[in-house]
Amino acid sequence: MRLTRRGTLVALATLGAFVAGATFGARALNAVAAPSLVAFAYAVVVVWRTDQPRVERLIPPAGHPGETRRMQFNVATSGTAELTDRLPAGLRPRSHTTPLLGDDHVEYDVEYARRGAHAVGPLTIRITDPLGLVARRFRYENDKEVLVYPAVTAITDGGALAGLVDQSGMPDRQAFDRLREYAPGDPLRDVNWKTTAKYGNLVVTEYAAEDQGAVTVVGEATPDGTGDNADAMADAVASIVTYLLDVGIEVEVAVPGGELPAGVGDRQRQAALDLLARTPPGQVGTDAIANADVHVVAEGETTVEVRGADVRYADLVGGRGVTA
Amino acid sequence: MNVVDRDVGRFGPRLVATFAIVVLTATYLSVLYETVDIAGGLDLFVPVVAGAFLGGLVLGRFLPDSLALPLALVIAVGGALLYVPSIPNGELLLSRLDLVVEDILALLTGLSILKIINAGVWATAFAPVPVFLSWFFVGRRRYSLAALVGVAALVFLILTSDAGVILGLFGVLAAATAVGVGDVDLRGGRLADADGVAMVVAAMVVLTVSVSLVPGGASQPLLRDTGGNADTIEASLTGTSGEISIQGSISLSPDVRFRVDADEGQYWKVASYDRYTGDGWVRTAPVRSFDGTQSGPDGPTRELEQTVTAETDLSVMPAAWKATRVSGEDADVTGFGGIQPAEPLGPDERYDVVSELSTATPDQLRAAGDDYEDVDVEKYTRLPESTPQQLTEYTTVLTSNANNSYDTARIVETHLEQKPYSLDVDRPSGDVAYSFLTEMEAGYCTYYATTMVSMLRSQGIPARFVTGYTPGQEVDGEYVVRGLNAHAWVEVYFPGYGWQTFDPTPSGPRQATEQDSLDTARSEGESGVDVPGSTPTPTPEPTATPEPTAAPTPGENGTASTPSDGANGSGGETPPGGVGDIGGLDPAGGDGSVPTTTGGGDGGFALPSPSREETALGTIVFLGVAAAARRSGATSRAYRAVWLRRQPRTDDPVHDIERAHERMEYLLARERRPRRTGETPRRYLRSLGDRDAMRVGDIYERAVYAGRTDEAAADEAVDRVDALVKKYRRF
Amino acid sequence: MSDNLAADTTDHADVEAVGDLARRVTTNVEEVIVGHHDVVEHLVTALLARGHVLLEDVPGVGKTMLARAVARSVDCSFKRVQFTPDLLPTDVTGVNVFNEKTREFDFHPGPIFANVVLGDEINRAPPKTQSALLEAMEEQQVTVDGTTRHVPDPFIVIATQNSVERDRTYELPAAELDRFMKKLHLGYPDEDDESEVLARVVGQHPIDTLSPVAGVEEIVAARQSVANVTVESAIREYVTRLARYTREHATLGVSPRGSISLLRAGQARAALNDRDYVIPDDVQREAVVTFAHRIRPAPDGDLTGRELVEEALERTTV
């Protein structure tokens, strides 16, 4: 608890009034000094007795850069209070202050500026007496974070990735790949009788190897101090992974921040975005690169290597042709 | 909540904060208004203040904060340009900054603004600065700054001892309210959110009134006018420390003050006062050191030599009017020609005076005319603008038969001498002169003299209020003058003859009262009451009574005009207040019969209690208590207790059942435990296990979730809930 | 005041009959299924509330047995479909086969044309096949080669889903999950129950001797009564509040279809308790199984769908 600026001014003036009154005997200064003293005493008592306000922070859901979400608080406080929230770089605004009126639900807009797992807070609540003479601050730390995913861009020119799509298939426990006409030499065991009956000719099920189902996407980025390379890598990997998952392909991810085992569907996409949101720049292991079907490298410019062919990521999303 | 509610709630804080600043402004403006009322110039003051108020408020809406101080400075300079040329030697003031500082210091340490020369103009120059500045800030919603400016102005006027305790208290309360509620407005709160402010302000009232703090004492100006510098500039700015405030009941002091060795007894004059404030007198004359001689009055005169010996500490130099030569002590002289000692006299110190007494006859005075060129007639005929018109009318009617100033004065004097004399009076609250004339039953010399001066001034006749001593007890050729001889009378100016003495106090009753006081003091064995030889003989001889004015015209009351102290020893009563200076009644003197001063003795914080202020303070405390009660939920709890006990029935059974269920839930929440948010009523009641409650729950369930109910069910529900209430109250 | 979903009001006698029926069926099924009383009750009430049920479980805990027992108890036809990735829609709905003799196409109905249809491992079915099933669930009809045919009444689909290999198989899309009124979970029996199971299967399996305790018409009538159980505005508002809470606290919350399902399930539960009006307790009883599977929680929240529903129950005013 400490004096506010206004409180200091009033305290000095009250002191001056007492001194002047005693020295020069202007008794009417009592009328000015005494109530001020009472106001101070009241202020100190009121602020001292205030309980710690209860604050519940409701973190907005994860989103992509450029989106705006609402940070919300449920606050239970009494008296005159003011709430100040601080946000790290990567979110805007960096701080927000609002007065509180009783039990309140406070909201404000947060703009997701940059990818990352941003730890929010600390939150301070400043309680003053009704006249604003004395103030007391309560500080709340937490370990909650706002997750901003990398920017996902639609891949318009998927030509380079087309081969992957054809090659991979719907994964399954039995992991069969596709149906094709019987070719001499195919084991009879693989004949798909149901379809043969409908089709009229012999049809064979071609099984793929288990791990051929999954496309491995690997990302690397050169550390450059600003984190731009890491962002570029994350954006590229996220876009590619989303594209593949949307088509229905099983995807596996390896980035400096960790690995994600193969999987499909929405759940896999969430997990990938989560991983990519947090990944720092750096390199991955050599065997990871060896297994990679898609290798993304960000070092100022972002290049995507697919089965030996290099293509600029900008082209993938820009819609221009591939130069092999 | 409809729109109207919300808007009123939004504007509530702003209205209250603005009103608080209005109150604060009124506190210091009331002092300034009174000054202008007394010293003249209301027709300039009101529009200037109104202009400053409106200008501040309007400009504050549009102009930025940074322009506040520069604009205020412009107004201050404008005020200075208005005031400085209106006083003599004003231009010199502009070049001597150190003198300005000295005067400001004097003001800040207790010099009343009423003593300022052309106080009315000064007040009109001063007022717009805080008014404009604070209302500019109100226009910008900077309530704290507005309050700061207002309080600063009020504190200034407190320091000059023109604003009292009540005004100071209300000003601070208003400032606190403005700051607190202004904060609520700036935060976007509603009026209900300002309940904390109400509580603080109420606490301020309650605790302040019940505690006494800074020890009191009269305000002493830091800088007294010393006769040392011949500079007229300093002296031209302010008057001396002479002021008188009219008191209520007083008593007489029997101590001997001084002795006068002279051939005849005269009224020993001490000081005269020109400015009437409605409840007191102020002298606005500069003081400079006396080089020993000055001219006498116009017209025929004779000389009287006097040797005055002090018996106690004496800070005045009594002498018959008009003293023309003084020797034996260093003296100062006022602008009115009165003499004062440069240093207070101690016991047995003495000085010699030669006075020239006017010997103008009544006929000469009647013929004196009204060509008042030689005197500042404005100064001596000014009455406060709040003086009732009836005073003038009364006097005009009374003196309609007189066709010259002398006769007019005599008629007034005689008329007032009819009034009963008493030392025990209630100080009137309005204009003293008018009250004495029409309402009061009796009074003492101060009242008589004040009233006569006011009445004469209302007729345009220059008159002034004079203090001094009646001749005293003659002992062996000397006159023994005691505190109880102190007296107030009137001087009227006649062209060509100067100031002539009149005394409207009836001498008979006065002397009788004085004698009683002296006898009582002697019988109680008080010391200092006599000097060798002054102890009375049973019948003191009559002494020759001096007649400063000619014999009364036939037909008029004979004794009235002679300031006789005829038969016995003694003289006037102790004039109250500042005239106490004369009798050595300095605060340091500690005289036993110091008359009561307003506001109680030293120390303590006794609030005088006019009922209007009490009502206002009481209202504030009530608001604070109400806010506290509301916040603590005491009011809602009380309301709930009543609501629980009894339920008014309607003809809608569903409504009744719902209301009964509500009561039951409130009761059970209080007595057992509240129902959790996600807990169904059925589970809740089963967990409590009360049969009555479960039955009510079933009725409620059927009504609300099955839509089936009837009067009988409603009756049963209400009855069972009533039974529950009784059951739990038993414990 | 009184406000019902249909014009007729169900009176107390009707409701008692329904409650009686439900209890009989449940007891009967429990001759075969040991130790899952709540799940059986939920299944029976779902049948009465015209809903479909998704069973998610580890293999071998009796999902098929449960479905068969229910079908047997109410004297209804039962068909099982095993979904595989190569299953064609016609495998479900039926196919028109060319009859050489009459030189016309005969319709051979698929397994969908039964009262109780058990669809095993629905998540392995290809999208087209799933949509055929969903059409049947939603509209009580299927379209084959342009011709629309109705499925029988009563009709209930009990689908199963393997809870083991979550990541390597598709989640059912949210839109499909939403079509199931309830998602139930059997789980392994406890020790005593497991012993009891073993005891029962020695010798003759109880399912073979299980006899019906209700008829098809009874079920049809019961379903009608359940649909007419009184639902006052207080209940509707409560259900709405619960649904809204889930929407505010999750990426994807409960849809209006979900709210309707909960309402119907509540009606069935009220009838089971011999009450002809729904009270909040009924809603609370059915909330988790009806809502949890429709919710996709916020990714950074640490609540599952089930936990979110429980939180909603705790924090929503009744």
Side-chain angles (χ1 to χ4, degrees), chain C residues 196-209:
Chain C
E196 179 62 27
V197 166
L198 296 173
R200 290 195 189 178
V201 302
V202 172
Q204 199 170 32
H205 198 290
I207 189 72
D208 300 326
T209 56

Side-chain angles (χ1 to χ4, degrees), chain C residues 69-80:
Chain C
V70 169
R72 220 22 121 78
S73 303
V74 297
D75 199 20
C76 289
S77 56
F78 170 78
K79 279 282 173 21
R80 176 171 178 273

Side-chain angles (χ1 to χ4, degrees), chain C residues 17-73:
Chain C
V18 172
D20 213 40
L21 168 71
R23 283 186 287 273
R24 278 199 321 266
V25 172
T26 307
T27 316
N28 206 34
V29 169
E30 284 184 304
E31 304 241 335
V32 179
I33 304 295
V34 180
H36 296 296
H37 177 77
D38 286 346
V39 175
V40 176
E41 232 182 22
H42 273 303
L43 191 46
V44 171
T45 47
L47 173 63
L48 294 175
R50 305 183 192 204
H52 307 281
V53 170
L54 179 62
L55 291 175
E56 184 178 86
D57 251 312
V58 292
V61 293
K63 303 189 283 288
T64 313
M65 198 57 57
L66 174 59
R68 281 177 67 188
V70 169
R72 220 22 121 78
S73 303

Side-chain angles (χ1 to χ4, degrees), chain A residues 19 58 123 189 191 206 217 227 246 261 271 283 287 306 316:
Chain A
V19 167
L58 303 166
L123 175 75
R189 185 169 44 95
V191 172
E206 183 173 296
V217 181
D246 281 348
Q283 312 214 293
D287 30 332
V306 182
L316 271 183

Side-chain angles (χ1 to χ4, degrees), chain C residues 25-254:
Chain C
V25 172
T26 307
T27 316
N28 206 34
V29 169
E30 284 184 304
E31 304 241 335
V32 179
I33 304 295
V34 180
H36 296 296
H37 177 77
D38 286 346
V39 175
V40 176
E41 232 182 22
H42 273 303
L43 191 46
V44 171
T45 47
L47 173 63
L48 294 175
R50 305 183 192 204
H52 307 281
V53 170
L54 179 62
L55 291 175
E56 184 178 86
D57 251 312
V58 292
V61 293
K63 303 189 283 288
T64 313
M65 198 57 57
L66 174 59
R68 281 177 67 188
V70 169
R72 220 22 121 78
S73 303
V74 297
D75 199 20
C76 289
S77 56
F78 170 78
K79 279 282 173 21
R80 176 171 178 273
V81 182
Q82 172 67 53
F83 287 103
T84 55
D86 62 340
L87 202 70
L88 298 170
T90 51
D91 296 333
V92 171
T93 61
V95 73
N96 283 315
V97 173
F98 189 67
N99 188 332
E100 297 243 357
K101 293 199 197 72
T102 63
R103 304 211 65 86
E104 277 175 2
F105 283 96
D106 293 334
F107 178 68
H108 288 205
I112 198 86
F113 291 93
N115 293 114
V116 179
V117 176
L118 174 65
D120 260 331
E121 298 189 87
I122 184 173
N123 49 301
R124 291 176 61 199
K128 261 196 164 167
T129 315
Q130 282 183 354
S131 69
L133 183 67
L134 292 171
E135 187 196 350
M137 283 162 64
E138 193 71 7
E139 294 160 41
Q140 276 80 51
Q141 65 191 28
V142 293
T143 311
V144 179
D145 291 339
T147 321
T148 308
R149 296 164 211 272
H150 283 280
V151 296
D153 183 38
F155 178 69
I156 178 171
V157 170
I158 302 174
T160 70
Q161 191 165 270
N162 204 333
S163 61
V164 174
E165 289 167 59
R166 299 301 297 279
D167 291 329
R168 302 242 15 228
T169 57
Y170 287 114
E171 275 262 323
L172 270 186
E176 293 182 15
L177 280 174
D178 208 28
R179 310 274 171 125
F180 289 95
M181 178 181 273
K182 307 192 192 189
K183 180 165 131 187
L184 303 171
H185 165 73
L186 283 167
Y188 290 122
D190 65 20
E191 200 173 331
D192 295 331
D193 290 338
E194 193 164 356
S195 306
E196 179 62 27
V197 166
L198 296 173
R200 290 195 189 178
V201 302
V202 172
Q204 199 170 32
H205 198 290
I207 189 72
D208 300 326
T209 56
L210 199 65
S211 17
V213 292
V216 174
E217 314 78 34
E218 280 180 84
I219 298 295
V220 171
R223 277 154 75 113
Q224 185 61 39
S225 299
V226 164
N228 288 337
V229 167
T230 306
V231 179
E232 284 287 336
S233 56
I235 296 292
R236 294 200 300 270
E237 285 157 15
Y238 181 45
V239 170
T240 309
R241 281 199 295 274
L242 286 172
R244 292 185 84 86
Y245 187 94
T246 65
R247 274 177 240 152
E248 282 160 17
H249 291 80
T251 309
L252 184 69
V254 172

Side-chain angles (χ1 to χ4, degrees), chain B residues 312-327:
Chain B
T312 64
D313 288 330
L314 213 59
S315 57
V316 295
M317 267 185 158
W321 172 257
K322 175 176 177 181
T324 50
R325 287 203 299 282
V326 175
S327 58

Side-chain angles (χ1 to χ4, degrees), chain A residues 12 36 66 78 137 143 152 165 175 194 239 245 276 279-280 286 298 300 309 319:
Chain A
L12 288 175
S36 305
S78 62
R137 271 183 216 275
D143 50 1
V152 170
V165 175
K194 234 184 203 159
S239 308
L245 287 174
L276 290 167
T279 181
T286 38

Side-chain angles (χ1 to χ4, degrees), chain B residues 131-200:
Chain B
V131 169
F132 174 83
L133 199 52
S134 58
W135 284 93
F136 184 91
F137 284 131
V138 170
R140 300 209 53 72
R141 294 171 70 193
R142 304 287 298 258
Y143 302 100
S144 310
L145 290 174
L148 180 66
V149 169
V151 169
L154 184 63
V155 165
F156 173 76
L157 291 176
I158 290 178
L159 288 171
T160 66
S161 67
D162 288 294
V165 153
I166 284 283
L167 282 180
L169 181 64
F170 274 97
V172 168
L173 294 177
T177 307
V179 165
V181 179
D183 275 355
V184 171
D185 179 41
L186 292 173
R187 275 188 292 132
R190 303 182 63 240
L191 202 52
D193 299 314
D195 55 351
V197 180
M199 286 159 65
V200 178

